[in-house]
Amino acid sequence: MASDHVWIVGASMTRFARHDSLDALDLAAEAALAALADAGTAMSDMDILAAGSLFHAGAGLGQQLQKQIGQTGIPVYNVANACATGATALRTVHMSILAGESGLGLAVGVEKTSGMGLLGAAARPVGAKKEFVPAGRDGHVMPTEGILGSQTMPSVFAQAGMAYLHANPQASVEHFYKISEKNHAHSELNPLAQYRKRFSLEEIKAAPMISYPNTSLMCSANTDGAAAVVLCSSARLATLPLAVQKRAVKIAASVLTSDPYVPGGQVLPDVSTCTRNAAAAAYERAGIGPEDLDLVELHDCFATAELLHYDNLMLCEPGGAADFLDSGAPWRDGRLPVNVSGGLQSKGHPIGATGIANVYEVATHLRGEAGDRQIDGARVGLTHVIGLGSSAAVHILQK
Amino acid sequence: MPAQVPVVDYLVLEPEPRLKAVACSGCGADFLTRRNACASCGGADFADKSLATEGSVVAFTIVHRAAPGVAVPFVSAIVRLDDGPIVPGNLIGVDPTPEDVALGMGVRLTTFVAGTDDNGVEAVAYAFAPRG
């Protein structure tokens, strides 16, 4: 029987950190078992498993995970969708429950990116005989990184932020620094964040430059970690213990989009239209507007990205992201706290886990269980991730 | 003069260096790389289109950290050409500092030799320099 709604009954994340002694399976198992326990369930209760990991999905992470925590023969989906991987895994389970195929399901996301350095930066081959032969869809005869611009992640998102400044002259690079000041300050209260240190604006500006205006303190932190959620149909929820029902969080909307054609979008990746479309669809589906939100976890992979998404998620008036930030609204004591977890810049960005970890964060606030960083009285929250290339996922959660 | 090849096939060297796009005959959408069909309208008929050699900077970044073998710092820019298409490229002829690069600044296409292979063939790349 198709379910009218899907509920989060279990949620967990590992500490995001450099976990040299744990492999991806260890981290995925830790998060999965904790989410199952949080829901008062076991692997034997699950009807579906979706396992998200950009770098491990191709190796059958989900089945490998089952071989550690329970081989029950259920369908497994190995999911990779750039930085939207975790959210896409969650949505895979969500769709199965909405369709009536599953009553209870587990979504887990994991990555180990510590020490990977710059993502999107191919090293120049050395030593081989050099002969110019056209290759690839652009017919390049040599690697073009650094010759025809830059495709590293810090560069791509720096350019996206600068394009926003070009279109909205009231915003300036100072706003990007302020975003990192806020998110690092927020991280002090999150025991699961990789870095928990507040930095002054001056320290943020003076940090090593990666791709102007993004200094190292304005880039998401490579890290290791996993996150997991147990999702449940309305019918199945009614059969679970009252204590589990009381802590259940409703998924009021789950939306995934890709980037529609826009002129130039294949040169300067368009992370805005897909986000805007996902947000509009999610607000409509949930019957909830941005004015109803109590907190937001959005994809601040770089400081230059967060400013755009205030606008794209309609948290401010069109073009008003700078004013929204200047008003103090996205600080944890402001009108609409954004990234109280510390965001990807300080909490860390283990790619496959990110889109589930932000759901864990919001669900934990809605349950009133966020400890020192609790946003008091939070009832409605929104999560957002972007996978470059591009995808946007938006979830609206409601207690 | 040594033999020369363009660093990418959307750069045309003769008679004067220009960029070319493949433009959809149906809707006019233009793309820099070879196509299977049009991402905008689904059409399958395309024609080469020669692009303007001047434009303005709509976004840039100054890259200080790159992969081994890539010289830094350099300015990576996104340029809107005067006839509309958006293209990537390095910005040269400026100091790689925020003070010397501005959003909206006018630029023109230029070329430089980016490398020579073991057969003595030169790869010619394009870049943008301040207009005027």
Side-chain angles (χ1 to χ4, degrees):
Chain A
M1 194 180 83
S3 183
D4 56 343
H5 282 112
V6 178
W7 303 80
I8 299 167
V9 290
S12 76
M13 65 177 273
T14 67
R15 168 129 201 264
F16 286 179
R18 185 175 186 120
H19 289 293
D20 285 332
S21 63
L22 301 176
D23 64 17
L25 274 183
D26 292 321
L27 292 163
E30 179 184 327
L33 292 171
L36 290 167
D38 185 44
T41 56
M43 266 314 275
S44 56
D45 298 315
M46 296 299 114
D47 301 321
I48 177 177
L49 167 65
S53 178
L54 189 56
F55 298 119
H56 297 279
L61 171 75
Q63 287 87 345
Q64 291 179 21
L65 177 62
Q66 287 182 304
K67 287 175 178 62
Q68 297 302 320
I69 67 172
Q71 292 177 255
T72 57
I74 59 174
V76 170
Y77 297 85
N78 291 294
V79 177
N81 200 10
C83 299
T85 291
T88 307
L90 187 157
R91 221 185 117 60
T92 301
V93 175
H94 184 273
M95 286 191 295
S96 175
I97 292 172
L98 272 189
E101 266 201 21
S102 309
L104 268 169
L106 173 65
V108 55
V110 65
E111 217 75 70
K112 282 187 64 108
T113 59
S114 288
M116 286 183 80
L118 270 182
L119 299 184
R124 289 282 165 81
V126 288
K129 177 173 164 58
K130 198 164 77 173
E131 187 170 16
F132 291 145
V133 177
R137 299 191 72 93
D138 60 357
H140 64 268
V141 300
M142 60 193 295
T144 56
E145 173 69 23
I147 293 173
L148 302 180
S150 176
Q151 295 291 317
T152 68
M153 293 301 111
S155 294
V156 167
F157 282 94
Q159 290 179 164
M162 296 301 276
Y164 184 86
L165 300 192
H166 188 43
N168 298 277
Q170 68 278 25
S172 74
V173 291
E174 295 298 318
H175 290 102
F176 300 136
Y177 305 134
K178 287 183 184 176
I179 281 169
S180 292
E181 178 192 33
K182 168 182 73 73
N183 290 352
H184 286 298
H186 285 171
S187 74
E188 284 188 311
L189 296 174
N190 186 354
L192 298 173
Q194 171 155 17
Y195 300 110
R196 303 179 62 189
K197 187 165 180 226
R198 182 184 285 259
F199 294 94
S200 68
L201 279 177
E202 289 65 35
E203 288 171 315
I204 288 163
K205 283 187 216 180
M209 184 57 73
I210 306 297
S211 288
Y212 173 86
N214 287 322
T215 67
S216 60
L217 290 173
M218 300 162 73
C219 298
S220 51
N222 286 351
T223 189
D224 307 331
V229 286
V230 175
L231 305 187
C232 184
S233 68
S234 293
R236 194 65 180 271
L237 182 64
T239 70
L240 296 177
L242 202 56
V244 173
Q245 293 185 32
K246 276 187 173 166
R247 294 173 65 244
V249 172
K250 185 166 92 176
I251 300 179
S254 170
V255 176
L256 180 67
T257 62
S258 60
D259 51 331
Y261 172 82
V262 297
Q266 296 192 18
V267 173
L268 175 64
D270 174 21
V271 297
S272 289
T273 310
C274 56
T275 295
R276 191 164 277 274
N277 289 351
Y283 290 134
E284 177 166 358
R285 208 163 294 175
I288 283 169
E291 66 282 1
D292 301 318
L293 299 173
D294 297 312
L295 77 162
V296 170
E297 288 283 306
L298 63 75
H299 202 68
D300 65 322
C301 50
F302 297 90
T304 45
E306 180 162 325
L307 196 72
L308 279 64
H309 295 317
Y310 294 156
D311 221 317
N312 295 330
L313 296 171
M314 299 166 233
L315 308 184
C316 59
E317 297 298 312
D323 288 344
F324 178 76
L325 178 61
D326 287 338
S327 76
W331 283 77
R332 56 170 292 112
D333 57 358
R335 178 170 64 77
L336 178 48
V338 175
N339 288 336
V340 296
S341 67
L344 309 189
Q345 294 165 54
S346 35
K347 182 174 67 174
H349 183 18
I351 298 167
T354 293
I356 297 180
N358 63 11
V359 168
Y360 163 84
E361 179 70 18
V362 170
T364 301
H365 285 271
L366 300 188
R367 287 166 150 185
E369 299 171 359
D372 289 344
R373 71 185 187 287
Q374 176 70 41
I375 298 300
D376 288 334
R379 289 285 174 270
V380 184
L382 180 146
T383 68
H384 159 255
V385 287
I386 274 287
L388 192 68
S390 297
S391 291
V394 168
H395 287 89
I396 295 177
L397 309 183
Q398 191 174 21
K399 189 77 185 84
Chain B
M1 184 170 148
Q4 292 189 325
V5 293
V7 73
V8 285
D9 59 16
Y10 61 86
L11 170 63
V12 178
L13 298 178
E14 300 292 341
E16 293 296 322
R18 295 186 84 93
L19 300 181
K20 68 171 180 182
V22 281
C24 174
S25 306
C27 72
D30 48 65
F31 306 92
L32 294 178
T33 58
R34 71 180 171 87
R35 304 302 307 170
N36 299 93
C38 177
S40 177
C41 75
D45 292 326
F46 292 91
D48 280 358
K49 173 179 159 187
S50 194
L51 302 183
T53 56
E54 298 200 348
S56 64
V57 172
V58 296
F60 72 88
T61 179
I62 304 167
V63 181
H64 286 257
R65 194 77 61 87
V70 176
V72 290
F74 65 93
V75 182
S76 167
I78 303 291
V79 171
R80 184 189 300 278
L81 298 175
D82 287 344
D83 52 349
I86 290 172
V87 299
N90 281 9
L91 193 55
I92 62 175
V94 293
D95 287 336
T97 59
E99 293 72 29
D100 214 34
V101 185
L103 291 166
M105 71 188 286
V107 294
R108 60 176 173 79
L109 190 77
T110 184
T111 57
F112 65 99
V113 174
T116 305
D117 75 3
D118 292 346
N119 302 322
V121 175
E122 291 179 347
V124 177
Y126 70 89
F128 292 94
R131 182 151 35 186

